[in-house]
């Protein structure tokens, strides 16, 4: 076995163990990146070790031993959850015109260890991944986050709640296209939310409830009902 293959297999094993303990929440692929480094630092901090991302013999032995402690459970949330607060700070972020890419959007992908070729590729899932990683870092994102409908695999199912991850069908219900955003309100027949790639930007807009495939939240989070409001114009551009 080549050295590169051995190192990738070793890192995959480390990621898998960190994931089982609740420190790593991305895809177990043996590829190094900020997500893996952050998980190692969190594990070492929880065990009183020097908070560096280096995986030495001491860290490896402890990680694989029965003395390894699981990560703390996420704190239950009431009111406007932190991931929605973070999402609002990103309002107005817009993809770059033409062949250029917005450095802010590309930085989200880099910070998430997420392959992403450029902001001409739909980025609603990437936006939600950025917000949930910032506000609910202990909830796994171990699925294809760029696929909007894949967010039906996130966390736990919930009702129409403030800050819930809302997944819509796009084009047709039985197709593969979709859209995902964070809920901020509702009317009798529509749901409002902050999302990315809404008219090529991060905006807050309305969507028909008939398009909803489901609502998700971090497992264990307690969310308030989405507040009622007078409906505005429905979105027509999420691609």
């Amino acid at each position: 076995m080549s050295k590169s293959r051995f190192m990738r297999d070793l890192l995959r094993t480390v990621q898998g163990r960190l994931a089982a303990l609740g420190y790593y929440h991305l895809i177990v692929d043996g590829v190094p990146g900020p997500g893996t480094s952050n998980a190692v630092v969190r594990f070492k901090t929880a065990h009183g070790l020097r908070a560096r991302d280096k995986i030495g013999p001491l860290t490896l032995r402890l990680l694989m031993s029965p003395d390894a402690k699981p990560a703390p459970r996420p704190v239950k949330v009431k009111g406007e959850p932190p991931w929605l607060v973070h999402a609002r700070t990103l309002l107005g972020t817009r993809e770059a015109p033409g062949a250029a890419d917005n450095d802010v959007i590309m930085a989200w992908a880099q910070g998430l260890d997420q392959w992403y070729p450029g902001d001409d590729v739909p980025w609603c899932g990437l936006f939600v991944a950025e917000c949930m990683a910032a506000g609910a870092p202990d909830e796994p994102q171990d699925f294809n986050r760029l696929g909007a409908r894949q967010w039906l695999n996130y966390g736990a199912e919930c009702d129409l709640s403030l800050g819930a991850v809302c997944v819509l069908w796009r084009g047709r219900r039985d197709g593969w296209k979709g859209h995902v955003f964070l809920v901020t309100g509702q009317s009798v027949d529509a749901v409002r939310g902050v999302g990315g790639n809404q008219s090529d930007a991060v905006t807050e807009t309305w969507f028909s409830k008939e398009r909803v495939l489901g609502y998700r939240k971090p497992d264990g989070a307690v969310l308030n009902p989405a507040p009622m409001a007078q409906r505005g114009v429905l979105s027509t551009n999420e691609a």
Side-chain angles (χ1 to χ4, degrees):
M1 178 185 296
S2 68
K3 182 178 178 180
S4 61
R5 173 67 181 277
F6 172 79
M7 294 303 295
R8 181 161 184 161
D9 287 347
L10 176 61
L11 186 55
R12 185 182 290 113
T13 300
V14 168
Q15 289 173 335
R17 178 64 171 157
L18 288 168
L21 291 169
Y23 294 95
Y24 182 70
H25 309 293
L26 306 177
I27 296 173
V28 176
D29 55 7
V31 178
T36 302
S37 296
N38 291 339
V40 172
V41 169
R42 290 180 62 223
F43 173 81
K44 293 175 77 169
T45 300
H47 291 80
L49 301 176
R50 186 176 177 187
R52 297 188 300 166
D53 62 359
K54 180 181 178 182
I55 307 170
L58 178 61
T59 302
L60 194 58
R61 281 197 301 271
L62 180 57
L63 178 62
M64 299 303 173
S65 79
D67 295 327
K69 304 172 189 175
R73 293 293 299 165
V75 177
K76 293 186 177 182
V77 177
K78 286 191 175 182
E80 187 159 289
W83 54 87
L84 182 54
V85 174
H86 181 67
R88 292 190 187 281
T89 69
L90 301 174
L91 282 165
T93 304
R94 177 173 294 276
E95 64 184 60
D101 295 315
N102 185 319
D103 290 341
V104 172
I105 296 173
M106 300 307 294
W108 299 342
Q110 183 178 11
L112 292 163
D113 292 353
Q114 173 65 57
W115 172 86
Y116 184 66
D119 65 16
D120 57 334
V121 174
W123 46 278
C124 61
L126 179 61
F127 170 78
V128 172
E130 159 68 18
C131 296
M132 301 313 296
D138 294 316
E139 187 63 43
Q141 297 183 16
D142 51 358
F143 50 89
N144 176 17
R145 297 171 292 182
L146 297 183
R149 295 192 187 213
Q150 290 293 308
W151 281 89
L152 292 171
N153 298 308
Y154 178 76
E157 187 177 5
C158 66
D159 297 327
L160 203 177
S161 307
L162 181 64
V165 175
C166 180
V167 181
L168 307 177
W169 58 266
R170 185 164 59 87
R172 65 186 203 202
R173 181 178 289 272
D174 61 350
W176 62 270
K177 295 180 180 179
H179 182 62
V180 61
F181 63 93
L182 303 177
V183 173
T184 61
Q186 63 170 316
S187 68
V188 173
D189 62 348
V191 56
R192 184 179 65 201
V194 175
N197 215 172
Q198 296 175 175
S199 299
D200 299 333
V202 177
T203 65
E204 184 173 10
T205 191
W206 288 92
F207 306 87
S208 171
K209 286 183 178 178
E210 293 182 353
R211 296 176 57 194
V212 174
L213 295 174
Y215 303 101
R216 309 293 294 188
K217 66 175 184 176
D219 193 19
V222 177
L223 305 180
N224 286 336
M228 297 296 294
Q230 183 176 354
R231 178 174 72 81
V233 178
L234 296 178
S235 170
T236 59
N237 182 3
E238 307 119 32

